[in-house]
Amino acid sequence: MKRLALLLIISLWSSANPSQAQDFSLQLGAAFEPSATPRASGDLTFLIGSGQTRSYTTINARPIGSVLSYAFRTGVERDFIKTKRATVALCGQAGIATSAEATSGMVSGCASIIVPIRSGFAFVLSGEGNNAPIHGGDWEPRVSAGFRYDFKSAP
């Protein structure tokens, strides 16, 4: 577990560019997977960067019986279509999936609709496809929903 936390810290640190002021966002939500048992899991996502392209790192935890299954992914989110009312963004991630029985690499792709609610807050609805040998090696569909808060860093 300590190695996984260290991997997350390194990926977040390497994504930030210390020579420029960066925007930092935090997203908390739930994911629903029709092919998994149980069908729900929790998501925590860190986003670093401003403009159309952002570093996109996700931690996912799902209880399986009395054991937890985790996924740690990092990649990029990029705005595809942006209007006043919503933004459609695409993302791609790679990382690891682990449980008490096994650990493996995984890849993920998603499309998200980001709807601003209030200053700094947004509702995010995503459709995803995940592939990890630990989960059978097939592309698994998943829908996630959450709330994102943007912290503006000082220039």
Side-chain angles (χ1 to χ4, degrees):
M1 185 66 181
K2 289 180 184 179
R3 287 187 212 166
L4 298 175
L6 181 61
L7 176 67
L8 174 65
I9 291 168
I10 290 171
S11 67
L12 286 172
W13 180 75
S14 65
S15 299
N17 183 353
S19 65
Q20 298 178 1
Q22 296 285 325
D23 289 339
F24 174 76
S25 301
L26 186 65
Q27 179 177 317
L28 182 62
F32 307 97
E33 303 174 52
S35 61
T37 304
R39 300 202 190 297
S41 60
D43 274 346
L44 179 62
T45 302
F46 303 93
L47 296 101
I48 299 174
S50 59
Q52 290 185 329
T53 305
R54 297 165 292 281
S55 168
Y56 188 74
T57 302
T58 303
I59 301 170
N60 177 263
R62 176 176 59 215
I64 301 174
S66 61
V67 179
L68 281 175
S69 170
Y70 297 99
F72 299 89
R73 304 177 314 239
T74 190
V76 175
E77 179 184 67
R78 181 167 174 83
D79 294 344
F80 183 66
I81 299 171
K82 190 168 188 166
T83 67
K84 290 181 180 180
R85 294 182 186 237
T87 300
V88 175
L90 303 176
C91 82
Q93 295 178 307
I96 58 173
T98 185
S99 68
E101 293 83 29
T103 298
S104 72
M106 74 178 298
V107 293
S108 175
C110 75
S112 302
I113 298 173
I114 305 163
V115 180
I117 298 173
R118 288 199 152 141
S119 178
F121 280 101
F123 175 73
V124 181
L125 182 64
S126 299
E128 301 179 24
N130 293 322
N131 189 327
I134 192 173
H135 296 299
D138 296 323
W139 283 97
E140 296 180 359
R142 158 184 149 125
V143 174
S144 63
F147 292 96
R148 183 180 292 182
Y149 183 74
D150 293 326
F151 299 90
K152 302 292 182 193
S153 63

